[in-house]
Amino acid sequence: GAGEAPLKENLAAAILMRAGWPEVARRGGGLIDPMTGSGTLPMEAALMASDSAPSLFREYFGFLNWNGHRAEIWERLLKEAGERKSAGMKKLPPIVGYDSDSRGVKNAVVSLERVGLKGFIHFERREFASCVPHPKMKDVPGLVVLNPPYGERLGELRELRPLYANIGRRLKEHFRGWRASLFTGNV
């Protein structure tokens, strides 16, 4: 939800690697994050699937001021990385993030612009209970990846039981043949 700490990009990338996202994306399968929060998993998935170099949109690196730094080589590498990303973006499978919290969805949409992914990921306010594959995802089974709330107090844990049961039901009913990966701190 809105109160949860956002997922770090490197952790999101590790979750996606572990979930087999690169292989799913190569097959043309899409990705759905039904509890997207600030949208880190879908954005990282798009960058990964498009062959974007990590930190490609960063302006400054400490080594730029090193004595041995060769600017012409760095510029050539940046140009090549940019070309690889452009080519990869043309082959991007559908990537969707849903969340029941409209503030989270708004923040995710704003972040898309910052990382150069506007128009490549679809974010939408949607309750988990109505989560189904996006119409663009009919042909190839994809990956459902989610980082649900895990509750730290006993009362919260009791409230989460139905949610966790619903996750299983929803996946069985609407995502047959898909791969699912759930990341949680809740044993």
Side-chain angles (χ1 to χ4, degrees):
E4 305 275 332
L7 207 55
K8 296 264 184 268
E9 287 85 357
N10 58 350
L11 179 55
I15 290 166
L16 291 163
M17 291 296 285
R18 181 76 178 81
W21 168 240
E23 178 52 35
V24 171
R26 261 192 300 279
R27 285 196 327 258
L31 177 132
I32 292 184
D33 177 358
M35 297 178 185
T36 201
S38 58
T40 308
L41 281 164
M43 286 187 271
E44 202 57 43
L47 293 171
M48 199 180 275
S50 66
D51 192 25
S52 294
S55 298
L56 188 57
F57 50 88
R58 239 174 84 179
E59 298 287 319
Y60 178 78
F61 295 87
F63 62 78
L64 295 175
N65 292 321
W66 290 357
N67 287 336
H69 174 64
R70 306 235 326 257
E72 67 283 357
I73 294 174
W74 177 242
E75 289 304 319
R76 195 168 64 232
L77 288 171
L78 278 179
K79 185 176 184 290
E80 180 191 324
E83 288 165 1
R84 284 174 62 174
K85 179 183 180 180
S86 292
M89 293 305 272
K90 291 182 178 96
K91 299 182 293 214
L92 207 60
I95 297 174
V96 175
Y98 296 128
D99 204 277
S100 60
D101 180 69
S102 55
R103 280 172 310 177
V105 172
K106 279 187 192 118
N107 292 341
V109 169
V110 167
S111 297
L112 280 180
E113 195 116 19
R114 191 173 42 85
V115 295
L117 290 171
K118 190 170 192 261
F120 291 99
I121 299 174
H122 175 75
F123 284 117
E124 171 181 324
R125 191 198 160 285
R126 182 184 285 226
E127 296 295 330
F128 179 71
S130 66
C131 185
V132 293
H134 192 268
K136 289 181 185 169
M137 300 175 172
K138 290 274 187 268
D139 306 332
V140 186
L143 171 68
V144 177
V145 62
L146 63 163
N147 176 22
Y150 36 90
E152 280 153 27
R153 292 182 290 283
L154 208 55
E156 291 174 343
L157 285 173
R158 261 189 236 104
E159 287 170 32
L160 289 177
R161 275 187 197 283
L163 171 68
Y164 276 63
N166 194 18
I167 289 171
R169 262 195 313 277
R170 199 89 204 144
L171 291 173
K172 269 188 214 163
E173 290 170 17
H174 298 280
F175 293 93
R176 284 210 178 272
W178 283 54
R179 184 178 277 203
S181 186
L182 190 136
F183 177 76
T184 180
N186 184 331
V187 278

